[in-house]
Amino acid sequence: MTIEIVDVTITSPGRNFVTLKITTSDGITGLGDATLNGRELAVAAYLSEHVASMLVGRDEDRIEDTWQYLYRGPYWRRGPVTMAAIAAVDMALWDIKAKKAGMPLYQLLGGASREGVRVYAHASGTDYAALSNAITGYKELGYTAVRVQTGVPGLGQIYGVSNAGPGVRYDYEPAKRSGARPAEETWDTRNYLSHMPGIFAQIREEFGTDLRILHDGHHRMSPIEAARFAKDIEPYDLFWLEDCTPGEDQTALRLVRQHSTTPLAIGEVFNSVYDYQTLITERLIDYVRSAVTHTGGITAMKKLLDFAAIYGIKSGIHGPTDISPVGMAAALHLDLAIHNFGIQEYMPHNEKTLEVFQTSFTFDEGFLHPGDLPGLGVELDEEAAAAHEYTKAYLPVNRLLDGTVHDW
Ligand code: CS2
Ligand code: MG
């Protein structure tokens, strides 16, 4: 059998998604997520204009060869656009292979290594009271781990904080349909560094020590600020501090490690194993944060996580709403199968998205399971997808109080 049809679907049920669908000469279909938040059309064009014609006529079973063909063939390599495109092809081919085998994908990856996949929710609030209310809501839903983000006095809207009011919120979508250019937010690290340790102290005081607490620094601290912050929050026993400083400056994490034992997670903006090479071989991180969608797919992600396992580093796969249900399903199959699983991020998609993507993964008491349908277990309703037209959306740009552009 061979690859016969390659389709790219762009849909926007509340936010933009790019989905690749491959159909074989025997009519078997596979899906891949190619969503790159704020740059969706770049990946869609890369797939439609440059990759699709390379795939038609190829043997769909030759997944590794196709991956190498798409990675080395174009000469230019790595980067978020290329690796999201390769990821979508890879996911779709694994989906097809598992459907042909009549088994859920995790069975082809070695079978289940656990009963379920522990997930963490996003609890946020403009102040501690709103954050506390959100944490309580997620605990009541059965979550055993929450990421906590809160407003900072003196600053307006900042990353990660839903200002839609207290309680369980699944509707924080950072990409804004802001017209020709991104919305702008203002940031001050000094306010943040002095405010946050008290928030963690209040959380531990109110919720005790069992709850796993995660926090995302979102690239905004300098290495020495990250070292200070990681040291200041050590007493609050975080499950991880994420993106404490821009991770592409890999050796900067040596400074953070010298000052703190707070576990570190990095990598959601990375797209290849080479972005992690120093971080992993020097054990400068504890969790690999990449999404299957942004790192070249299941083939590449399995290799990356097996490499990390040698150094005692675990998975913490990225799972915000800008990873589609297809990308989330791919993550869950890997999460269930690998030995060095850490935790899975889970921001549930909205109802409209779940009308477009029919999923089979299930949530129970803080754990997800990918389900046992053959393949990834997700199908795309193309008619429903067509009802939601693409609308340009940008992630915000961050500036310091003096107007200097900063990491968002
Ligand atoms: C965040 C993401 O989930 C996270 O850890 O860093 O929500 C990130 O802001 C978005 O994926 C950007 O599109
Ligand atoms: Mg993050």
Side-chain angles (χ1 to χ4, degrees):
M1 286 195 290
T2 59
I3 294 169
E4 192 163 84
I5 305 168
V6 178
D7 287 316
V8 178
T9 298
I10 305 171
T11 182
S12 192
R15 59 142 297 107
N16 297 318
F17 293 109
V18 180
T19 306
L20 178 77
K21 179 180 171 183
I22 292 178
T23 307
T24 70
S25 47
D26 280 20
I28 299 173
T29 60
L31 295 179
D33 180 23
T35 306
L36 185 64
N37 206 2
R39 294 299 181 274
E40 294 86 359
L41 296 188
V43 185
Y46 191 97
L47 284 165
S48 304
E49 299 301 323
H50 302 293
V51 171
S53 60
M54 292 173 74
L55 294 175
V56 174
R58 283 185 61 83
D59 175 350
E60 76 275 2
D61 279 327
R62 297 181 63 179
I63 297 177
E64 179 69 30
D65 181 62
T66 298
W67 197 97
Q68 298 295 343
Y69 181 57
L70 296 179
Y71 180 77
R72 300 173 193 282
Y75 183 72
W76 313 108
R77 58 191 65 179
R78 300 192 325 177
V81 173
T82 301
M83 300 312 283
I86 294 175
V89 174
D90 190 75
M91 275 182 249
L93 294 181
W94 275 109
D95 193 11
I96 289 168
K97 189 177 278 288
K99 283 180 178 177
K100 287 168 68 176
M103 51 179 77
L105 176 57
Y106 72 84
Q107 292 292 10
L108 295 190
L109 301 175
S113 296
R114 53 196 56 78
E115 301 315 310
V117 171
R118 187 190 301 274
V119 294
Y120 71 88
H122 281 204
S124 75
T126 49
D127 58 20
Y128 180 75
L131 173 61
S132 166
N133 186 292
I135 294 171
T136 301
Y138 282 113
K139 280 181 59 122
E140 286 167 357
L141 289 174
Y143 285 88
T144 59
V146 287
R147 188 190 80 167
V148 296
Q149 309 289 134
T150 184
V152 173
L155 299 180
Q157 171 64 41
I158 60 173
Y159 163 72
V161 180
S162 168
N163 54 18
V168 170
R169 310 294 323 181
Y170 289 146
D171 54 2
Y172 171 67
E173 172 50 70
K176 299 288 179 253
R177 296 172 175 176
S178 50
R181 61 178 60 84
E184 299 208 351
E185 295 180 359
T186 305
W187 177 252
D188 181 80
T189 306
R190 187 171 174 74
N191 284 13
Y192 167 78
L193 291 176
S194 55
H195 177 66
M196 283 310 296
I199 293 289
F200 294 119
Q202 284 180 273
I203 294 171
R204 282 299 181 214
E205 176 66 28
E206 180 175 359
F207 294 99
T209 55
D210 283 352
L211 182 67
R212 291 162 175 82
I213 299 173
L214 303 87
H215 180 66
D216 195 342
H218 223 252
H219 326 276
R220 295 170 293 187
M221 290 177 266
S222 69
I224 195 63
E225 290 166 342
R228 171 192 153 186
F229 187 72
K231 185 179 172 185
D232 288 351
I233 64 174
E234 252 183 36
Y236 309 115
D237 185 26
L238 265 65
F239 182 88
W240 80 34
L241 170 61
E242 176 183 348
D243 284 332
C244 61
T245 193
E248 62 270 29
D249 177 10
Q250 297 184 56
T251 56
L253 276 298
R254 292 173 184 156
L255 185 59
V256 183
R257 274 308 208 214
Q258 280 161 18
H259 292 274
S260 173
T261 58
T262 295
L264 302 176
I266 280 193
E268 71 177 47
V269 296
F270 290 171
N271 46 73
S272 91
V273 64
Y274 302 103
D275 298 322
Y276 286 97
Q277 212 157 355
T278 304
L279 293 172
I280 289 175
T281 53
E282 293 189 17
R283 296 182 175 83
L284 299 179
I285 58 173
D286 304 279
Y287 296 94
V288 167
R289 273 294 280 146
S290 285
V292 179
T293 306
H294 299 146
T295 320
I298 291 155
T299 300
M301 198 69 187
K302 182 73 169 57
K303 292 175 182 176
L304 168 58
L305 292 173
D306 288 346
F307 174 45
I310 297 167
Y311 295 86
I313 295 168
K314 295 185 177 180
S315 71
I317 296 181
H318 195 210
T321 43
D322 49 281
I323 295 296
S324 87
V326 178
M328 174 56 78
L332 292 174
H333 284 280
L334 270 168
D335 289 333
L336 199 69
I338 59 172
H339 179 256
N340 58 321
F341 168 73
I343 200 165
Q344 171 65 47
E345 179 177 16
Y346 179 47
M347 284 180 77
H349 291 99
N350 63 33
E351 284 308 311
K352 283 192 288 183
T353 298
L354 298 176
E355 286 164 11
V356 173
F357 297 93
Q358 274 83 49
T359 59
S360 57
F361 52 83
T362 52
F363 175 85
D364 180 36
E365 288 300 308
F367 287 73
L368 279 180
H369 191 285
D372 285 301
L373 289 181
L376 286 172
V378 182
E379 293 303 331
L380 176 67
D381 180 331
E382 287 166 73
E383 198 177 316
H388 303 288
E389 205 173 312
Y390 167 81
T391 309
K392 184 190 283 192
Y394 282 111
L395 287 171
V397 167
N398 219 3
R399 290 184 185 273
L400 299 177
L401 296 174
D402 69 1
T404 306
V405 172
H406 194 66
D407 292 292
W408 168 68

